[in-house]
Amino acid sequence: MKLRPVGVVKSEIKEPSLVVRSGDLAWRGVLEDVRKGQSAISEILVYDDFTGILDGIEGFSHILVLYWSHFTSEEGRSLIKVHPMGRKDLPKVGIFASCSPARPNPVCVSAVPLLERQGNLLKVRGLDAVDGSPVIDIKPYHPRYYGISEAKVASWMKQIGRELTKALDKE
Amino acid sequence: MKLRPVGVVKSEIKEPSLVVRSGDLAWRGVLEDVRKGQSAISEILVYDDFTGILDGIEGFSHILVLYWSHFTSEEGRSLIKVHPMGRKDLPKVGIFASCSPARPNPVCVSAVPLLERQGNLLKVRGLDAVDGSPVIDIKPYHPRYYGISEAKVASWMKQIGRELTKALDKE
C-alpha cells in the first residue's frame, strides 16, 4: 500500500502543534497556530499530472482533505498510548481514540469549506495541515455520510476543547 | 509514504459494487450490497501488535474508519474523470468530485456508529468496506470537526442518492 502525493498544502502554519517527545505527545502551546488551524485560509495545489480530477468539485460547499502528516517520525508511528494533547493531567488513551497526527499511518482527515477553485488550485478555510503537507486525496463532503450532529464525544476530549476555547478567548 | 495495515474488515459484502471497466466506472447493480453497506454490522479486527491502541474509543459513539480499497487495480488508480456510479446518462466528473473507491490513493473514509468494543475487535454498523479490506486508521468522530449538516451537495450526486433510495424502497 504505497501512496503517491497528488498535491501539496500551502499554509501559514509552518510547524505542527503536537510533537513527539520521549515516547509521548507534547504540545508546543502556540495558540496562534490553533487559531490559524481553525480559521486561516490555506491553498491546496493539485499537481498537473492530475489536471481534470477536480472537475465538478465546485458543486460542493465542503470537502474532505486527506493529507500526510510529514513531520511524523518512525518513533511517532510506533506510539500506542499517549496523553491526549500531551496533557499529563489526563489519563493516557490509545492513539486511535486520539486526534494525534502521530499514528501508525499518519493520514489526517479534515472537513473544510471550499471557498474557491481555480484550475488545479483550491482555497479552503480552517485546514489544520502544516505548510508543505503532501495531499493524498480530496473527497466531496456529503452530510448523509459524514454529518452526525448528535455524536457522543469522550469527556476528556470535551474538556480539552472547552479549555482551548477559553484560552483562545482570553488571548 | 508507505502504509502498514493495522487491522482488517470482516463484512458480509464480498465484492465491490463499483468496478473499473474500460477506463470508466461500472456499477454491478446489486442493491442488496448497497443495503448491507448502509445497515449491516461489520467487524474491525485490529492486529495484536497494536493492542492498547483502541483504549478510550468506547467514549465515542461514532468513529471514522480509514481503509484501503484493495480491489482497486493500477488502472483504477490512474483514472481522472468518470461517469459517477458508472451512469452514462450523467456527465463525467473528476475522481475527486466523486465517491469512487478507484482513485489515485484508494483510501476510503467511513463515519460509522461504534456498537461495541471487545479488546481488539470493534463492531460497527453501515461500514461500506468489502470483506478483507485492510484497515489503515481509526479516529474518534467529533461533530465539531466533521459534522457539517448544512453542506451543499452537487445536484447529480443528490439525484443518484434519490434514485438509489427509490430503488431500495421498491425492492
Side-chain angles (χ1 to χ4, degrees), chain B residues 23-84:
Chain B
D24 201 351
L25 293 179
W27 191 53
R28 285 173 53 245
V30 184
L31 283 174
E32 191 47 34
D33 279 349
V34 177
R35 203 187 303 277
K36 283 179 193 161
Q38 288 176 354
S39 62
I41 290 168
S42 310
E43 292 181 341
I44 297 169
L45 178 68
V46 171
Y47 297 136
D48 287 343
D49 297 355
F50 301 95
T51 294
I53 206 162
L54 291 169
D55 289 0
I57 197 88
E58 316 83 17
F60 299 86
S61 63
H62 292 73
I63 55 174
L64 282 191
V65 181
L66 276 65
Y67 62 92
W68 187 258
S69 165
H70 62 304
F71 276 91
T72 298
S73 61
E74 274 306 304
E75 185 195 356
R77 295 187 67 172
S78 69
L79 297 178
I80 297 289
K81 293 185 79 166
V82 291
H83 288 99

Side-chain angles (χ1 to χ4, degrees), chain B residues 73-151:
Chain B
S73 61
E74 274 306 304
E75 185 195 356
R77 295 187 67 172
S78 69
L79 297 178
I80 297 289
K81 293 185 79 166
V82 291
H83 288 99
M85 290 280 282
R87 296 250 320 235
K88 309 278 191 228
D89 59 318
L90 294 172
K92 277 193 170 184
V93 300
I95 283 287
F96 287 173
S98 83
C99 302
S100 163
R103 42 208 312 126
N105 295 304
V107 176
C108 299
V109 180
S110 232
V112 290
L114 174 60
L115 306 178
E116 198 181 324
R117 176 194 169 195
Q118 290 181 340
N120 282 356
L121 190 77
L122 300 179
K123 281 194 187 171
V124 297
R125 189 172 54 237
L127 183 66
D128 53 3
V130 174
D131 188 55
S133 297
V135 175
I136 293 167
D137 197 12
I138 292 165
K139 299 180 193 290
Y141 181 94
H142 198 311
R144 188 186 300 175
Y145 300 113
Y146 299 117
I148 306 149
S149 52
E150 78 295 1

